[in-house]
Amino acid sequence: MSGRGTATVAAVAKGLPSLSLAEVVATSGLMSRTDRKYVLPLNDFLAVAEVLSLRCLEIDGQRVFGYSSTYFDTPDLTIYRAHRQDRRRRFKIRTRTYTDSADTYCELKVSGRRDETVKVRRPHPAEAAHGLTAPALMFLDDALTAAYGRPAPRPLTPALVTDYRRTTFVAADARITCDTSLVWRSGSRNLAAGGDLVLLEVKSASERNSVTEALAKLRIREQSVSKYCAGLVALGLATGGNRWRPALRRLGVA
């Protein structure tokens, strides 16, 4: 995604009322939620922003933030294959670093009932962002045993890094994250998503909300896209990724 996407989102954010992180958590801090994803040209993003009443997360005067996530998988990509096969008991394991503050977390995302996503996390040392410490592995084992009755697979190694810029908007009944300047990295390989696009995700307690209804009225369709799975396919590190090809085409990398 080009710098123009980041600049456009930043310009929209600048004109909106602000919310502190505490206010965002209080109004829409959803660790258990329904996620809906869309890949939008800038004109569609501007049309959506125009019809919604939004506020924007602001921290220390900033409204656009840097994110870097390292995803972990087994050497034979057990986690990726579970998503490719759309298994009911699927999950993602990652560390996430907020690059403006260097705060880092180990996160587990599991798929619950009715397309619900449940996320749990714990603080993680920033210097170990590309690895899993013994406490992190214990946390993952406990969380996956509680969710699915089995510990995390082994061995787990870094499979993909995603870097991007994120702006968070809040509507009355949903939170919207807008990601731009997306880059996938693995070893010596790296690939930037192309085009003036915004990867928009609607997160809410229910499947239908004011944001998804506005998108539907504008005839903007949901897009099946996973930064992790699509990135592996885009870099040629995984096969059988046809379900993510339409999103990759829209992102200009397929």
Side-chain angles (χ1 to χ4, degrees), residues 15-244:
L16 296 174
S18 66
L19 282 174
S20 68
L21 180 59
E23 289 173 316
V24 171
V25 171
T27 57
S28 64
L30 306 167
M31 299 302 273
S32 177
R33 71 211 184 198
T34 298
D35 297 343
R36 294 288 177 264
K37 300 178 182 180
Y38 305 80
V39 180
L40 303 184
L42 294 183
N43 286 342
D44 283 350
F45 166 73
L46 291 170
V48 172
E50 188 174 338
V51 300
L52 292 171
S53 177
L54 299 172
R55 292 175 289 174
C56 183
L57 170 65
E58 180 177 308
I59 302 174
D60 296 332
Q62 267 186 273
R63 298 193 177 195
V64 182
F65 305 94
Y67 281 56
S68 183
S69 297
T70 299
Y71 290 86
F72 297 86
D73 211 328
T74 61
D76 62 348
L77 300 180
T78 297
I79 295 174
Y80 164 80
R81 287 188 287 107
H83 285 270
R84 186 192 70 194
Q85 296 164 7
D86 204 23
R87 294 180 191 167
R88 184 171 65 86
R89 294 187 171 188
R90 61 189 186 274
F91 56 91
K92 293 190 183 93
I93 292 170
R94 71 188 179 202
T95 58
R96 168 168 285 177
T97 299
Y98 300 87
T99 59
D100 300 288
S101 65
D103 291 340
T104 302
Y105 295 87
C106 175
E107 298 185 341
L108 171 71
K109 291 177 69 175
V110 299
S111 296
R113 299 176 180 177
R114 298 182 297 275
D115 293 328
E116 182 184 59
T117 298
V118 180
K119 184 173 78 172
V120 293
R121 68 181 191 173
R122 73 182 303 276
H124 191 78
E127 65 273 15
H130 301 304
L132 294 172
T133 62
L137 288 167
M138 186 179 300
F139 158 74
L140 293 168
D141 285 342
D142 290 345
L144 275 168
T145 298
Y148 293 153
R150 64 176 186 267
R154 299 289 199 282
L156 287 169
T157 57
L160 185 77
V161 177
T162 61
D163 300 319
Y164 53 95
R165 307 289 290 171
R166 170 169 287 185
T167 301
T168 298
F169 301 101
V170 177
D173 53 358
R175 187 168 79 242
I176 307 166
T177 58
C178 295
D179 297 340
T180 56
S181 301
L182 172 63
V183 177
W184 292 292
R185 296 188 284 121
S186 183
S188 61
R189 304 187 190 194
N190 67 83
L191 180 66
D196 295 330
L197 300 164
V198 177
L199 181 53
L200 183 147
E201 189 167 351
V202 183
K203 307 174 183 186
S204 67
S206 60
E207 207 168 311
R208 295 186 62 183
N209 53 70
S210 59
V211 182
T212 55
E213 288 181 359
L215 287 160
K217 287 178 181 177
L218 291 167
R219 298 184 178 179
I220 299 172
R221 295 183 179 180
E222 184 180 351
Q223 186 83 62
S224 177
V225 58
S226 157
K227 288 190 190 74
Y228 173 56
C229 297
L232 289 181
V233 174
L235 289 175
L237 299 171
T239 60
N242 288 339
R243 64 180 296 184
W244 296 292

